[in-house]
C-alpha cells in the first residue's frame, strides 16, 4: 500500500502542477450563460481609452480578471481527464493585465484526489505567482519574459479513516514545465475574457470575468 501511495502521490503532484501552471490557470465554465446583453443596472467596468495604453496593447484586456473555484475545476478536469481529481473551495485566481504591457497572476488552489476503492483521499494546497510582459493585436496575446512559480503547502492524506498532514516534500519535476505558451488567442468584452490554446487533449478555453 505504501508503494501504491508513493506512485499515486507522484502522479497527483505532476498532474496538479501541470494543470495549474498552464496559461493564466483559468477554467471553462459549463454553466449555461445568459445570451441577453448585460442589464443597465449592472456595474460596467472601466476600460481605458486608447491614449492610456501602450502601443501593442488591446485596451479591452486592461484590468483585473477573476476565476472562481467552479471554473478552475472545469479547467483542471479538462486538462487531466481524471474522474477522481478536482479543485475545491476556496480556490480562486486573479489576473491583472496592465496598460503598460505587463501582467501578474496570483491565487490559491486546493486540489483533492479520491483514491479508488474507498473513501480515502489526498489533498494539497498551493500558492501561485506569475508575472511577465504581454502584447495583443485584437485576436492573439503574445507573452514574453514570463515567470511562474507554484509554492505547494500542506498535503493531507486520509487512509482508512486516519488523516495525516504535513508540508509537501519536493518531488523532482521537469525543467521549465511551468512555462506558458508564448501565443494564445482571445475574445474580449467588457465583462468577459475567453482565452484559447492547444492543450494535451485538444483546444483549451479559459474563461475569466470582471
Amino acid at each position: 500500500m505504501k508503494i501504491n501511495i508513493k506512485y499515486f502521490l507522484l502522479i497527483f503532484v505532476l498532474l496538479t502542477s501541470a494543470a495549474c501552471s498552464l496559461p493564466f490557470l483559468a477554467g471553462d465554465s459549463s454553466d449555461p450563460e445568459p445570451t441577453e446583453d448585460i442589464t443597465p443596472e449592472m456595474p460596467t467596468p472601466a476600460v481605458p481609452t486608447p491614449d492610456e495604453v501602450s502601443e501593442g496593447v488591446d485596451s479591452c484586456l486592461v484590468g483585473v480578471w477573476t476565476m472562481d473555484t467552479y471554473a478552475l475545476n472545469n479547467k483542471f478536469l479538462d486538462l487531466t481527464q481524471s474522474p477522481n481529481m478536482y479543485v475545491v473551495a476556496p480556490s480562486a485566481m486573479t489576473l491583472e493585465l496592465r496598460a503598460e504591457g505587463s501582467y501578474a497572476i496570483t491565487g490559491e488552489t486546493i486540489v483533492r484526489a479520491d483514491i479508488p476503492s474507498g473513501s480515502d483521499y489526498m489533498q494539497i494546497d498551493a500558492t501561485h505567482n506569475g508575472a511577465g510582459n504581454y502584447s495583443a493585436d485584437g485576436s492573439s496575446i503574445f507573452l514574453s519574459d514570463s515567470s511562474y512559480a507554484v509554492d505547494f503547502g500542506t498535503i493531507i492524506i486520509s487512509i482508512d479513516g486516519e488523516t495525516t498532514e504535513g508540508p509537501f516534500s519536493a518531488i523532482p519535476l521537469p525543467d521549465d514545465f511551468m512555462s506558458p505558451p508564448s501565443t494564445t488567442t482571445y475574445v474580449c468584452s467588457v465583462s468577459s475574457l475567453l482565452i484559447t490554446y492547444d492543450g494535451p487533449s485538444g483546444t483549451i478555453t479559459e474563461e475569466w470575468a470582471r
Side-chain angles (χ1 to χ4, degrees):
M1 183 64 176
K2 290 183 178 179
I3 294 178
N4 291 337
I5 290 297
K6 176 182 177 181
Y7 285 104
F8 187 85
L9 176 59
L10 176 59
I11 294 172
F12 173 48
V13 173
L14 286 173
L15 286 174
T16 301
S17 303
C20 289
S21 62
L22 288 172
F24 304 142
L25 293 89
D28 182 13
S29 174
S30 60
D31 273 351
E33 295 291 337
T35 56
E36 65 273 14
D37 293 334
I38 296 175
T39 60
E41 290 76 18
M42 295 182 66
T44 301
V47 176
T49 65
D51 292 338
E52 295 175 314
V53 299
S54 300
E55 183 178 358
V57 173
D58 184 350
S59 60
C60 180
L61 294 174
V62 176
V64 177
W65 303 89
T66 59
M67 177 64 59
D68 63 13
T69 300
Y70 183 75
L72 278 169
N73 182 58
N74 282 326
K75 168 70 176 300
F76 185 82
L77 296 179
D78 193 26
L79 287 165
T80 65
Q81 302 294 312
S82 172
N84 301 316
M85 298 176 63
Y86 44 94
V87 178
V88 299
S91 301
M93 301 297 301
T94 299
L95 169 67
E96 182 180 5
L97 297 168
R98 304 185 182 107
E100 81 278 6
S102 66
Y103 76 87
I105 182 168
T106 58
E108 304 288 335
T109 58
I110 303 173
V111 176
R112 178 168 173 162
D114 291 331
I115 301 174
S117 304
S119 59
D120 302 334
Y121 68 90
M122 295 181 181
Q123 180 171 299
I124 189 170
D125 65 271
T127 301
H128 303 260
N129 286 284
N133 298 318
Y134 78 99
S135 62
D137 62 7
S139 61
S140 297
I141 297 175
F142 308 95
L143 302 182
S144 62
D145 303 317
S146 296
S147 63
Y148 199 92
V150 179
D151 181 18
F152 291 104
T154 301
I155 186 165
I156 299 172
I157 303 177
S158 178
I159 304 293
D160 296 330
E162 296 186 7
T163 301
T164 59
E165 61 180 87
F168 171 71
S169 297
I171 294 177
L173 298 172
D175 292 336
D176 299 324
F177 81 104
M178 293 182 181
S179 298
S182 59
T183 304
T184 60
T185 59
Y186 74 96
V187 177
C188 179
S189 69
V190 172
S191 59
S192 68
L193 172 62
L194 299 179
I195 299 174
T196 59
Y197 57 93
D198 292 332
S201 301
T203 300
I204 304 299
T205 301
E206 304 184 341
E207 186 177 358
W208 292 87
R210 64 180 173 188

